[in-house]
Structure formats: C-alpha cells, structure tokens
Amino acid sequence: MTEAVRAAGAVLWRPGQQGPEVVLVHRPRYDDWSLPKGKLDPGELAAHAAVREVAEETGFSTALTRPLTQVRYTAPARGGRTAPKVVDYFSAHLLGGEFTPNDEVDELRWLPLKEARAELTYPHDARVLDAFAESRSETATVLLVRHAKAGKRSEWSGDDALRPLSEAGRRQRDALHSLLPLFAPSRVYSAPRVRCEQTVAPVARDRGIDVVSEPLFSEEVYSADPDAGVRAMLEVAGRGGTSVVCSQGGVIPDLVTRLADSAGLRLDEVAARKGSVWTLSFRPGEVENGELGNGAISGNGQAPNLSLAAADYLPDPQA
C-alpha cells in the first residue's frame, strides 16, 4: 500500500463587518481556489506545518486556535500515479503580515464564509469550512499539558513536589516550547510541582507572563474534590482566549472525562502520556441538572456557564 502523503493547513480568518472573513488562495499550477496548506517536512508536526505553510503561501503570521478536522483524499503522484493524502486543518486567526504573489500563490482573497464556500474548487475544502463555521461559538481554548518526564519517584529521596525534569523530560519540554507558542497563549497555569512548572516555564517566559500556581490541578488536591478541580478548569476557560494548564497523570484523564461527560461528548480514550497535550475547546452552554461529569457542583460557588465543545489529543510532540 502506498504510504499516505501528510500535509497540514489552516482556515485563516479575521473579523469582518458581517462576521469572520477567511482566506482563499489561487494556485496557478492547478488553477484552483483552496485553503492554504502544504506537505509536512520530515519530523515536522502538523501544527508547525500549518503555521509555516500559511506564512509561505500568504505572507501572514497567525496564531492557531485549535485543530478543526482531518481530510483524506487521493492526490496525483509522480509517474502519473495517485497516492492517498491526509491533511490536518486548524483554525487560525490573523496576527499580521502582507500578501505578495509568489510561485505557489498568485492571488489571495478575503471572503465571508458563504462566499468562500461557493468559491472553493474542492468539496473537501468546503467541509473544512463547515467545521470552522461550527467552531465559531467557541470562546476559549485550554492546552492541558501533562508534565514532561521527571525520572522515577522511587529514585528521588527528597520531597516529591520538588522532583525536577530528567534529561528526557527536558527534551520533551523543549518540544512543547516549540509547539505551545503557536497557539499564542495569554495565561499559563501549573500544579505546584517543580516538574510541572519547569515544563511550561519557557513558554510563559517567552510570552512575558507569569506561571500561576493552582493547587487544584495537583493530584492530591484534585482527588479530594474533583468537582472543585473541574470548576477551576472552567474558570480558566471562562477568561477566554487561549490558556496553558500543566497538570499530572492522576488528574488529566478524570478531568477530561468529567468535562466530556457533562457536555455529552464521547471520547474513545482519555490518555495522558508525559509531555502530551489535550487541546480543549469551550463554548457557552448549560450543564445538565447542575452536574459536572460524575458529581454535582458543590463547594464555593458555581462554575462558569461553559461546556466542552471539542477535545484533541497529541501524545507527545517529541515522538
């Protein structure tokens, strides 16, 4: 079987007078109108490729919001043959830049969604725009990170809260430092563990923000009151925009499951490998019967009126 060609792209958007406007590009080689996309370079993640391809084809810098969908189709290959192609698409908002015609793209248009959908050459691109349209009610993205590797607990004689990243963990941290800023987070939170704080500290430093310590994202505090942990996550999301939260393996699966269950979102598996990332997208919505996941809201106040709209998992950006 021919190996699939991997590519990535984005629905690049900006605010318009009557809703969002999105970018379409004209490729003279194919004489088509499509969304900006391109093949992954060796060892490149889809998120990196999406940002790079948008910049190369359009001249615009962008911040990713979340993964949108994956498209599969058959594309022309060398020797007159065809090959399967898999394209991961992201939602991405405009930061700046200027378009200059180039070898790949000779014309670019900003269009409202309805006009853009009618202009697209390929039906699979129209489906990507449909996924983007469905995501427009979302108000927040949380990048939920499990801390990078920190060696074995049995081999650390000090306070476990002070256990630092191992050499392998520092490599995972560096990979996350390359990935997470693509989403332009405006806030960074961490469980009060050195290994958690070290995992996201480079991202916070580059963004010029502090790492906010949140005990409810630590294993022992979360296990004592999971509902309070869920509320803490919803409060982070309630601030809008994009946030990073670094937590532990004893928290993340239960937390994501409770958020998904309360929103009626079915997930095949809720894993939490070290150095992994859950991209959680939230939108306004009621929590049924005043309950969050497996337990009723209780304690100090109510959670913000948000529900989980989508959850996408990246096992390890270094893998």
Side-chain angles (χ1 to χ4, degrees), residues 4-245:
V5 175
R6 294 301 304 271
V11 176
L12 176 61
W13 68 276
R14 69 183 184 187
Q17 292 183 346
Q18 298 179 339
E21 297 176 339
V22 299
V23 157
L24 300 190
V25 295
H26 181 262
R27 301 182 299 174
R29 179 182 177 185
Y30 302 105
D31 189 24
D32 61 8
W33 284 97
S34 65
L35 302 168
K37 66 178 182 299
K39 297 177 183 176
L40 272 62
D41 288 339
E44 189 175 38
L45 292 175
H48 289 103
V51 171
R52 176 181 55 77
E53 286 292 336
V54 167
E56 291 177 358
E57 292 191 358
T58 72
F60 294 132
S61 60
T62 185
L64 302 180
T65 305
R66 74 164 178 93
L68 276 178
T69 189
Q70 188 179 80
V71 172
R72 297 172 180 266
Y73 57 94
T74 300
R78 293 180 179 178
R81 294 176 295 177
T82 60
K85 191 168 186 176
V86 180
V87 187
D88 291 289
Y89 281 98
F90 294 78
S91 171
H93 67 266
L94 175 70
L95 293 180
E98 183 178 355
F99 172 66
T100 302
N102 53 72
D103 292 340
E104 291 188 70
V105 175
D106 63 349
E107 189 177 352
L108 177 149
R109 294 179 184 173
W110 285 99
L111 296 172
L113 281 176
K114 186 175 181 179
E115 294 179 30
R117 197 180 191 284
E119 190 72 25
L120 285 166
T121 301
Y122 307 109
H124 55 255
D125 281 347
R127 293 196 297 272
V128 176
L129 273 193
D130 291 342
F132 172 76
E134 291 176 4
S135 74
R136 295 304 301 139
S137 63
E138 296 165 12
T139 58
T141 299
V142 177
L143 304 171
L144 178 57
V145 181
R146 184 179 177 189
H147 66 78
K149 294 179 179 179
K152 295 181 180 179
R153 182 178 301 186
S154 61
E155 297 177 358
W156 176 256
S157 59
D159 184 347
D160 186 62
L162 303 179
R163 182 157 48 101
L165 297 181
S166 64
E167 182 178 350
R170 290 191 292 272
R171 290 194 296 269
Q172 286 182 314
R173 174 202 62 194
D174 292 345
L176 288 165
H177 185 200
S178 174
L179 172 68
L180 299 177
L182 299 177
F183 294 81
S186 55
R187 292 171 295 275
V188 178
Y189 301 84
S190 173
R193 297 288 182 272
V194 166
R195 54 192 178 275
C196 293
E197 294 164 354
Q198 289 180 336
T199 297
V200 294
V203 177
R205 182 184 64 244
D206 284 2
R207 298 292 297 169
I209 53 182
D210 295 328
V211 177
V212 178
S213 182
E214 177 47 77
L216 284 164
F217 297 139
S218 66
E219 288 178 339
E220 75 279 5
V221 179
Y222 179 87
S223 64
D225 191 352
D227 288 340
V230 174
R231 285 197 300 274
M233 176 58 72
L234 292 175
E235 287 167 3
V236 169
R239 294 180 173 91
T242 298
S243 301
V244 171
V245 171

